[in-house]
């Protein structure tokens, strides 16, 4: 039972670390801002085509 708990703990730590690194990377590269701007541009283009 202890081995399974240790395994689950290690997997959880790895998953959290990967998600945290991805979030920090996206924030530092401003990818979230680029996606937001692309959505706004797409909305404007759709409005102009109607």
């Amino acid at each position: 039972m202890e081995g399974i708990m240790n395994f689950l703990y290690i997997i959880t730590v790895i998953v959290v670390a990967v998600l945290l690194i991805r979030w920090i990377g996206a924030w530092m590269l401003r990818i979230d801002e680029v996606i937001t701007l692309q959505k706004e541009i797409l909305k404007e283009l759709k409005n102009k085509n109607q």
Side-chain angles (χ1 to χ4, degrees):
M1 188 69 169
E2 187 175 321
I4 293 172
M5 292 302 289
N6 284 342
F7 177 73
L8 290 176
Y9 178 73
I10 291 171
I11 294 298
T12 304
V13 169
I14 291 172
V15 168
V16 169
V18 168
L19 291 175
L20 185 64
I21 290 170
R22 285 187 51 150
W23 179 78
I24 290 172
W27 174 75
M28 288 183 71
L29 295 173
R30 303 286 186 193
I31 292 171
D32 51 343
E33 286 185 26
V34 171
I35 291 172
T36 303
L37 287 174
Q38 286 180 341
K39 286 180 182 178
E40 289 176 15
I41 292 170
L42 184 62
K43 189 189 318 181
E44 288 180 26
L45 288 174
K46 284 182 179 179
N47 288 338
K48 289 184 180 184
N49 283 334
Q50 291 179 353

